[in-house]
Amino acid sequence: MKGLGGFHLACDATNSAAVTELRLRKRRDEKPFAVMAATLAAAEDIADLDADERHLLLSVERPIVLARRRPSAPVAPAVAPGNPLVGVMLPYAPLHHLLLAASGRPLVMTSGNLSEEPLAYRNDDALARLAGIADLFLFHDREIDTRCDDSVARVIAGAPVVVRRSRGYVPRGIAAGERFQEPVLACGALLKNTFCLGVDGTAYLARTSAISRTSRPTKRTSTPSNAWSASSARNQSSSPTISTRTTCRRATL
């Protein structure tokens, strides 16, 4: 399913067979899947949320929120095997609202890629790379300039802590303790990497890029550095916008 920053792989979060099959196809052994719930009330059926976690779920950034899973949660154990926490999030794009309303149940929403590969964000790339995983493809006609994974956060000691800073938070700057005497570029690390630009009194963090040791860089058109923030910002809007056309296509193996 095409979203704001790339493709999701989705399945019925209540169906153990479907979740297990997705793990096999995605080559993801035990790492937890995120679950998208249609409403805050549905999210509270899955996780034991306090006021701060509810506020974080409803924030404009719409991150995946790590919270304690309820023993009675209506999700398959394979969603987060052996883990007392579950990652829940709310819809942040029009297709999410439509799909959750039509399905009537929580859905696994995990990044559209094989484990440790970059997120697929273009239609042709998704068809080529995900045909062996997905049974169906749901597209819309809004182009995505830059891939951007879902952000992950949790509440610790009453304060939100961002575990993965990406969609919704970037390229928003962070106030630095002191002004930079000159522009600074920090890069790293090898896996799950990002970079940071320090200018004046602000640090600008890029979104996380899940690149593996074996991934090959893809050829991209050159983008001026001063367009980076503008192009990323267009992708981070959490305000619902109406897609002019959606397409559902069956995968051909």
Side-chain angles (χ1 to χ4, degrees):
M1 174 182 177
K2 189 175 182 181
L4 287 184
F7 280 80
H8 280 119
L9 291 167
C11 75
D12 181 354
T14 68
N15 188 315
S16 292
V19 177
T20 300
E21 181 63 22
L22 179 56
R23 284 197 175 278
L24 291 173
R25 295 188 189 187
K26 188 176 166 67
R27 304 175 192 171
R28 187 164 173 170
D29 294 333
E30 295 184 349
K31 186 177 178 182
F33 285 141
V35 176
M36 183 176 283
T39 63
L40 180 61
E44 290 188 288
D45 288 338
I46 299 169
D48 186 11
L49 303 172
D50 62 23
D52 294 316
E53 289 164 337
R54 288 192 291 270
H55 179 76
L56 191 55
L57 265 178
L58 291 168
S59 67
V60 69
E61 292 84 3
R62 282 295 197 271
I64 297 168
V65 176
L66 301 178
R68 187 162 294 277
R69 179 169 51 179
R70 289 186 183 275
S72 59
V75 296
V79 165
N83 197 322
L85 303 180
V86 62
V88 291
M89 60 177 164
L90 296 177
Y92 56 83
L95 283 184
H96 294 158
H97 288 279
L98 293 173
L99 190 60
L100 268 293
S103 66
R105 66 198 67 192
L107 299 176
V108 165
M109 284 284 182
T110 187
S111 55
N113 57 351
L114 286 173
S115 290
E116 304 304 333
E117 286 189 357
L119 175 70
Y121 71 106
R122 298 192 184 279
N123 293 356
D124 55 351
D125 184 41
L127 284 169
R129 291 170 49 204
L130 304 180
I133 306 176
D135 295 319
L136 293 168
F137 286 85
L138 182 58
F139 299 107
H140 57 70
D141 62 355
R142 292 172 63 89
E143 294 298 325
I144 298 174
D145 287 338
T146 304
R147 65 169 59 91
C148 199
D149 283 296
D150 292 316
S151 294
V152 181
R154 68 177 301 187
V155 175
I156 299 177
V161 175
V162 179
V163 179
R164 182 171 71 192
R165 195 173 190 272
S166 198
R167 177 193 50 76
Y169 291 93
V170 297
R172 187 189 308 161
I174 300 173
E178 298 179 2
R179 292 180 63 85
F180 296 98
Q181 297 302 312
E182 59 184 14
V184 174
L185 171 64
C187 300
L190 178 61
L191 303 179
K192 308 292 184 183
N193 60 79
T194 186
F195 69 87
C196 179
L197 293 173
V199 181
D200 297 329
T202 306
Y204 298 95
L205 280 161
R207 81 282 186 274
T208 299
S209 179
I211 306 296
S212 72
R213 296 173 186 268
T214 57
S215 296
R216 295 181 179 180
T218 56
K219 185 177 181 180
R220 298 180 60 188
T221 56
S222 176
T223 302
S225 58
N226 60 2
W228 172 74
S229 294
S231 65
S232 297
R234 288 197 299 273
N235 291 329
Q236 310 319 314
S237 172
S238 296
S239 302
T241 55
I242 298 174
S243 174
T244 57
R245 185 175 67 254
T246 60
T247 304
C248 188
R249 185 181 303 180
R250 185 172 298 278
T252 301
L253 301 181

